[in-house]
Amino acid sequence: MNKNTLYILIAILCLSCKTNHHKKTSSKAPNILFIIADDMGKEALAGYNEGTIKPHTPNIDAIRETGLSFNNFWTYPTCSPTRASMITGKYGYRTDVRWANQKLSESEVLLQKYINQNTDSAYATAVVGKWHLSGYDTTINPETFGIDYYAGIFKGSVKDYYNWPLSENGKQTVATEYTTKKFTDLAFNWINKQEKPWFMWLAYNAPHTPFHLPPLEMHSQGNLPPYTKEVDPTPYFMASIEAMDYQIGELLNALSKEDRENTIIIFMGDNGIEPIVTQDPYKKNQVKRSLYQGGINMPLFVSGKGVERKGSDNNLITTTDMFATIAEIAGVDTDRINDSKSFKSLLTEEKSIRKYQYSEMKNEKNDAWTISNGTFKLLVFADGNEEMYNLINDPYEKNNILDSSLNTIEKKSKEELDMELLRIRN
C-alpha cells in the first residue's frame, strides 16, 4: 500500500469518526405536549393532601412521579384569562382578558407564532380542544393567529359531551363522540402526520360540567345512572377525570418509542373546580371564580425529555411563565418576555425564579387582584376592601390577619406587597 492510499484511508476513517460522533451527541428539538385539564384543582388529584375522594389516574400520576411537580403554581379564577396569559405571556389587565368569554385581541402575538418567528419555523403547531379566547366570535380561531392547525370547541363548555359543535379546517360539524376521546384522536392523528418537531396544545373540556358519564371502559365509577340534580355529582366528576386520564394514556401509548422519548409533557389544571364538587379543606366560595388558593393554586407537572429533577418544587410560578418557558424549551434564546419568566432551568437545577406571583379577576360584579411572596398573600378589591393571609400557617385562608393588629414582620411584608402591586399594575 503506497503512502497516498494510506493517507486517504486515514482521512476517511477520521471523517467517519467525526460524523458518527456528531450523530451520537446531536440533540433533536423536543416535541412539546401541553395538556390542560378544565376546572380541576388539587383536591381532585392524587398526590395532594387536599380532598379525600380521589379518582384513579395512573397516567397523570406517572407524569407527576417521573418528573417535577410545582406546588405554588398560580392560574386565574376562570378559563379564558388563564389561557390568554399563557398564550401571550401577559397579565390579564394588559390583554383585557380577565374573565370567562372575553375576547383576545387579534393583534396579540401568540406563543406558537412567537416560537416560529424565532426558530425559523422549526415547529409544527396545533391547538386541539377548548379554545375559549374569541368571546362569542366564531370567525376568530387559533389559525387566525398563525397556528397551523385547530380542531375543537370555541366556547367554554359543551351542552352534551356526546353531541357538540366541532370546528375544524374552518368548518363546523356536529360531533357525536365523547369529547375527551375525540380530542385525543384528533391530537394523535395530527401528531402522526408531522415530519418535524411538534407543539401540541391539547385542552380538554373535561372535567368541566355537565356531568355526563364517559364510556364505561374509561372509568372505575361503575354503571351510574344518567346524572340529575338530585344525585351526588362527585362520582360523575371523578369519572370524567378518569376518562381524561385513560385517554392521555391512549395518546402516550400510541406515540412511537422515538417520539415518546423526545417529548416533554406539561400537565396542568386551569382553575379551581366547581363549588358543587369541591371538598375540604376548601369552602365553596374558595374555588372556581375566586382568587383564594382553591381557585388559583393549581396542579402543574412536567416530565419527559430534558426533565432531570424529580419530586416537588416550591418556586412561585404563574401562568404567564408558560410563554417564556415553552419558548425556551423550543429553542428560543430568551428567558423573559412581557410578564413571563422562564422556569425551564428548574427542570435541571434548584434555584429561585420569582419573588412574587400575581393573579386577578374582573367581571360585572367584582374587580380584584392578588399577590404573594410565598409566605404572605394580599388580596385587594376595587371597593377598597383588603385581605391578607399567612400561607405557611394558614394555607387555606381561614384567618384574615388584617382583622387584627399586624406585627412588625407582617407590616413590612404588606408594605412590600403593596409596592410590588404598584409596580406590576403600572
Side-chain angles (χ1 to χ4, degrees):
M1 182 183 295
N2 61 40
K3 287 185 178 180
N4 289 339
T5 305
L6 180 61
Y7 291 152
I8 292 170
L9 287 173
I10 291 171
I12 292 172
L13 182 61
C14 290
L15 180 61
S16 175
C17 289
K18 287 181 181 178
T19 303
N20 289 337
H21 177 72
H22 174 71
K23 285 183 178 178
K24 186 176 180 180
T25 60
S26 65
S27 59
K28 184 181 177 184
N31 303 313
I32 302 165
L33 177 58
F34 184 30
I35 304 172
I36 306 170
D38 198 2
D39 291 5
M40 191 184 71
K42 290 181 174 180
E43 70 271 47
L45 272 185
Y48 293 107
N49 294 325
E50 293 84 359
T52 55
I53 302 171
K54 302 287 187 175
H56 178 62
T57 53
N59 297 295
I60 296 172
D61 294 348
I63 297 171
R64 183 189 76 250
E65 291 164 359
T66 59
L68 201 56
S69 175
F70 293 91
N71 293 328
N72 294 312
F73 172 56
W74 271 16
T75 66
Y76 284 69
T78 57
C79 314
S80 298
T82 291
R83 286 161 169 76
S85 66
M86 295 191 297
I87 214 163
T88 65
K90 297 179 182 180
Y91 294 133
Y93 74 90
R94 297 194 200 278
T95 64
D96 207 26
V97 179
R98 286 178 274 184
W99 201 250
N101 299 317
Q102 292 179 344
K103 184 177 176 180
L104 186 63
S105 169
E106 293 172 70
S107 65
E108 295 288 349
V109 176
L110 301 195
L111 172 58
Q112 293 85 344
K113 186 173 182 179
Y114 176 79
I115 288 172
N116 279 331
Q117 284 176 339
N118 290 277
T119 61
D120 195 24
S121 297
Y123 274 78
T125 61
V127 170
V128 170
K130 176 173 171 173
W131 173 233
H132 209 198
L133 286 175
S134 298
Y136 300 100
D137 187 349
T138 57
T139 66
I140 302 174
N141 67 33
E143 291 162 351
T144 309
F145 290 91
I147 296 168
D148 296 334
Y149 172 77
Y150 167 66
I153 58 172
F154 278 100
K155 296 181 180 180
S157 62
V158 295
K159 292 182 179 179
D160 187 333
Y161 268 67
Y162 293 92
N163 191 324
W164 48 279
L166 168 64
S167 297
E168 184 181 18
N169 296 323
K171 298 179 180 178
Q172 194 167 94
T173 58
V174 175
T176 56
E177 192 168 21
Y178 186 73
T179 59
T180 307
K181 182 180 187 307
K182 183 64 175 179
F183 292 155
T184 306
D185 290 345
L186 287 165
F188 175 72
N189 290 342
W190 179 84
I191 288 170
N192 203 36
K193 296 174 184 175
Q194 305 314 308
E195 296 180 353
K196 62 180 181 179
W198 45 264
F199 172 19
M200 166 57 67
W201 175 299
L202 177 54
Y204 289 111
N205 65 302
H208 195 292
T209 55
F211 300 118
H212 291 169
L213 272 174
L216 191 60
E217 69 272 14
M218 297 183 195
H219 68 91
S220 66
Q221 300 298 316
N223 192 15
L224 298 167
Y227 173 74
T228 63
K229 292 182 179 180
E230 287 72 36
V231 301
D232 178 10
T234 302
Y236 300 83
F237 179 66
M238 296 297 166
S240 183
I241 296 171
E242 291 182 356
M244 177 175 59
D245 181 85
Y246 178 93
Q247 289 300 324
I248 289 171
E250 293 287 287
L251 174 60
L252 295 177
N253 291 332
L255 297 178
S256 68
K257 184 174 183 291
E258 180 184 5
D259 251 4
R260 179 70 183 270
E261 290 177 350
N262 193 49
T263 298
I264 185 169
I265 305 167
I266 304 170
F267 175 90
M268 61 166 281
D270 71 342
N271 53 249
I273 69 178
E274 284 285 353
I276 194 173
V277 284
T278 195
Q279 299 182 58
D280 288 339
Y282 299 122
K283 297 178 181 177
K284 293 186 184 300
N285 69 336
Q286 290 182 312
V287 285
K288 182 178 180 179
R289 304 178 192 89
S290 87
L291 285 172
Y292 297 107
Q293 293 294 87
I296 62 174
N297 181 206
M298 295 297 111
L300 172 64
F301 315 135
V302 186
S303 71
K305 181 68 179 290
V307 183
E308 298 176 11
R309 292 178 65 205
K310 291 180 174 59
S312 61
D313 185 283
N314 289 320
N315 265 275
L316 306 180
I317 305 295
T318 74
T319 46
T320 58
D321 298 333
M322 287 297 184
F323 190 104
T325 303
I326 293 175
E328 193 175 12
I329 289 170
V332 180
D333 185 19
T334 184
D335 63 358
R336 185 179 296 196
I337 182 172
N338 300 328
D339 301 308
S340 179
K341 293 183 178 181
S342 173
F343 59 85
K344 177 179 179 288
S345 59
L346 298 180
L347 307 180
T348 56
E349 61 180 316
E350 190 171 346
K351 59 190 290 191
S352 178
I353 297 296
R354 281 184 177 275
K355 291 183 179 180
Y356 305 95
Q357 59 189 160
Y358 170 84
S359 186
E360 64 193 315
M361 61 183 283
K362 185 177 182 181
N363 56 27
E364 293 85 356
K365 295 181 180 179
N366 297 298
D367 184 5
W369 44 95
T370 184
I371 189 170
S372 171
N373 61 8
T375 299
F376 293 100
K377 176 180 177 182
L378 177 66
L379 290 92
V380 180
F381 300 85
D383 63 7
N385 288 326
E386 293 185 341
E387 298 175 13
M388 187 171 167
Y389 301 92
N390 184 326
L391 295 179
I392 305 301
N393 301 330
D394 181 25
Y396 306 117
E397 299 155 298
K398 309 299 183 187
N399 176 38
N400 177 10
I401 61 177
L402 296 181
D403 288 340
S404 56
S405 297
L406 301 182
N407 61 36
T408 303
I409 293 174
E410 291 167 345
K411 282 181 181 178
K412 184 178 179 183
S413 296
K414 185 175 186 303
E415 289 171 2
E416 291 174 353
L417 293 174
D418 282 329
M419 287 289 291
E420 186 64 15
L421 271 178
L422 277 174
R423 188 196 67 78
I424 288 174
R425 293 178 62 84
N426 292 288

